[in-house]
Amino acid sequence: FPSTFLAQFPGPQFGVAGLRALLDAHDRPIFLGVVKPNIGLAPADFAAIAEQAWRGGLDIAKDDEMLADTEWSPLRGRAAAMEAARRRAEAATGERKLYMANVTDEVSRLIALHDAAADAGAGALLLNTLPVGLSGLRMLREHSRLPIFTHFPMLAAMTRVPGYGVHSRVMTKLQRLCGADGVIMPGFGDRMMVPADEVRDNLRACLAPMGALKPALPVPGGSDSAETLPRVYAQAGTRDFGFVCGRGIFGHAEGPRGGAASVRAAWSAADNRAAQ
């Protein structure tokens, strides 16, 4: 993109460096977990499960992209319960933690949901960008005091039909332009059905120089766990990525705390092998 075009866009507010500073997490991936079951939990139950994972070493506990502001789990109440759990986990571990709240909704509600989540203690936001629209992301970025992570629902419809649509890296670049601090994208492995070269294209779209815009954190995901972390690290070729698990942490045989601890142990092992 020409510099005159880039100058019209805000880009990430925090970016990779800002997220690392918030978490005091440097020289390693940032570890995210999708609280499971992904829908149906009351706020207190949701927070109790997340707290276990935080205590095991998770950095960011997040809403699933399908979890919205519902009657049985209103966003403000969920964020308040998560804030109390986060404080306990930080006191127990000495590590900084974040809760990522999904604010996906009608565009007219985005600002109110941001304020409700931020005021209750959420540390980051999740937005399904394509259903909401890039303009909605840009509006939220200009108001937000929290980092924004975007998610990929509807991406396949725009990128996977031969001879139609655009390459997924285009959508990644546009999300970065409009203010995404982190971009959750289809990752490596069979489940996402995306070639490894395409995943790496999207990682580069987040991290490569783009005028004065900050890099966004790429978060490739899809049925990951401690078992897949070494392969994801090798495929990514960088430490600047987010590693996101659902069942790999919250369905672990030793519970969410054991699941998160297994991911941290897998990173230590992979990092040691890379240093040898």
Side-chain angles (χ1 to χ4, degrees):
F1 297 112
S3 58
T4 51
F5 182 81
L6 292 176
Q8 306 303 312
F9 292 88
Q13 181 179 181
F14 294 83
V16 175
L19 290 167
R20 291 195 176 285
L22 285 174
L23 290 161
D24 194 23
H26 305 282
D27 200 34
R28 64 166 175 82
I30 290 175
F31 299 112
L32 303 89
V34 187
V35 177
K36 300 285 185 177
N38 54 354
I39 55 175
L41 294 171
D45 299 321
F46 186 94
I49 294 171
E51 183 177 346
Q52 292 180 47
W54 273 328
R55 287 174 179 258
L58 193 68
D59 294 312
I60 302 175
K62 65 178 288 294
D63 290 347
D64 188 87
E65 72 272 16
M66 293 184 285
L67 178 59
D69 179 36
T70 66
E71 291 183 3
W72 46 267
S73 183
L75 179 63
R76 186 182 294 274
R78 191 165 69 243
M82 288 291 279
E83 171 64 2
R86 181 191 67 82
R87 289 179 180 273
R88 291 192 297 268
E90 286 189 342
T93 63
E95 297 179 347
R96 297 177 189 171
K97 310 292 181 182
L98 292 179
Y99 162 53
M100 186 191 303
N102 185 10
V103 296
T104 301
D105 208 299
E106 299 295 335
V107 174
S108 59
R109 295 199 69 217
L110 293 182
I111 299 304
L113 288 173
H114 163 279
D115 293 348
D119 291 348
L125 303 179
L126 179 68
L127 186 73
N128 296 335
T129 303
L130 297 180
V132 169
L134 289 163
S135 183
L137 168 60
R138 184 171 177 177
M139 179 191 74
L140 184 63
R141 157 65 174 91
E142 291 172 349
H143 176 81
S144 183
R145 58 183 189 266
L146 302 177
I148 301 169
F149 285 72
T150 58
H151 209 287
F152 57 81
M154 290 180 61
L155 182 65
M158 303 184 68
T159 63
R160 293 191 185 178
V161 179
Y164 172 81
V166 297
H167 195 284
S168 59
R169 68 172 172 267
V170 177
M171 301 311 302
T172 298
K173 289 182 178 182
L174 292 176
Q175 289 175 87
R176 181 179 171 189
L177 278 171
C178 290
D181 296 288
V183 179
I184 301 173
M185 60 187 68
F188 302 101
D190 294 338
R191 183 187 174 204
M192 293 291 101
M193 299 180 287
V194 176
D197 286 345
E198 183 174 341
V199 181
R200 283 189 287 269
D201 279 345
N202 282 292
L203 266 72
R204 285 190 289 269
C206 287
L207 298 172
M210 188 183 283
L213 274 62
K214 297 174 182 176
L217 183 75
V219 187
S223 295
D224 281 309
S225 67
E227 182 180 5
T228 66
L229 176 53
R231 295 198 298 271
V232 172
Y233 177 36
Q235 291 267 49
T238 178
R239 295 166 186 251
D240 284 332
F241 69 96
F243 187 72
V244 60
C245 301
R247 289 167 293 176
I249 288 177
F250 295 95
H252 194 274
E254 297 180 6
R257 184 167 185 167
S262 74
V263 171
R264 293 293 289 264
W267 168 250
S268 295
D271 191 33
N272 288 337
R273 284 195 295 272
Q276 292 175 356

